[in-house]
Amino acid sequence: EVKLVESGGGLVQPGGSVRLSCAISGITFDDFVIGWFRQPPGQPREGISCISSSDGSTYYGDSVKGRFTISTDNAKNLAYLQMDNVNAEDTGVYFCAVRPGAVIRATPLLPLWYEYWGQGTQVTVSS
């Protein structure tokens, strides 16, 4: 059974930084994609970033390019989302997810492609 557990959320000041972690267990397939998504209050879930296990290629949504960085620690079965220079629009519940198989290069951040999801961690950007 694939299990994902996010951590690291909380209250962050505008312009500040925070790092989210996703502990992943139970993966038995060779190729997969780890994605980060967020859901602002009253809005649909939005793809933020993803990383391919096969070649380490990364993808970012336009709203976070240059500010957020996705990475993994394969030895610890962890994925990270480093969030820098955050603003109020970054507020929301952040989820990590796994897609078995290869990246869908045309739309890599579409939530529909991801099969396994964590419960989410809240990030609130406010002074």
Side-chain angles (χ1 to χ4, degrees), residues 37 99 107 109-115 117:
F37 299 80
R99 165 185 162 73
T107 53
L109 299 176
L110 195 64
L112 176 66
W113 302 139
Y114 293 77
E115 183 172 342
W117 292 82

Side-chain angles (χ1 to χ4, degrees), residues 3 10-11 15 17 21 39 41 57 64-65 69 71 74 76 78 82 92 100-101 122 124:
K3 187 175 180 181
L11 179 64
S17 297
S21 300
Q39 189 160 16
S57 56
V64 305
K65 276 180 185 174
T69 305
S71 63
N74 295 330
K76 296 182 180 179
L78 289 169
Q82 177 68 38
Q122 175 72 43
T124 302

Side-chain angles (χ1 to χ4, degrees), residues 53-117:
S53 71
S54 62
D55 61 5
S57 56
T58 57
Y59 302 81
Y60 293 93
D62 290 339
S63 63
V64 305
K65 276 180 185 174
R67 300 189 299 122
F68 291 11
T69 305
I70 191 170
S71 63
T72 59
D73 183 334
N74 295 330
K76 296 182 180 179
N77 294 326
L78 289 169
Y80 301 105
L81 184 69
Q82 177 68 38
M83 303 168 56
D84 297 319
N85 192 23
V86 299
N87 56 59
E89 286 68 42
D90 296 321
T91 293
V93 180
Y94 283 71
F95 302 87
C96 61
V98 165
R99 165 185 162 73
V103 171
I104 304 296
R105 298 193 185 277
T107 53
L109 299 176
L110 195 64
L112 176 66
W113 302 139
Y114 293 77
E115 183 172 342
Y116 303 97
W117 292 82

Side-chain angles (χ1 to χ4, degrees), residues 5-22:
V5 180
E6 303 93 340
S7 60
L11 179 64
V12 191
Q13 290 196 339
S17 297
V18 63
R19 188 177 77 165
L20 306 183
S21 300
C22 176

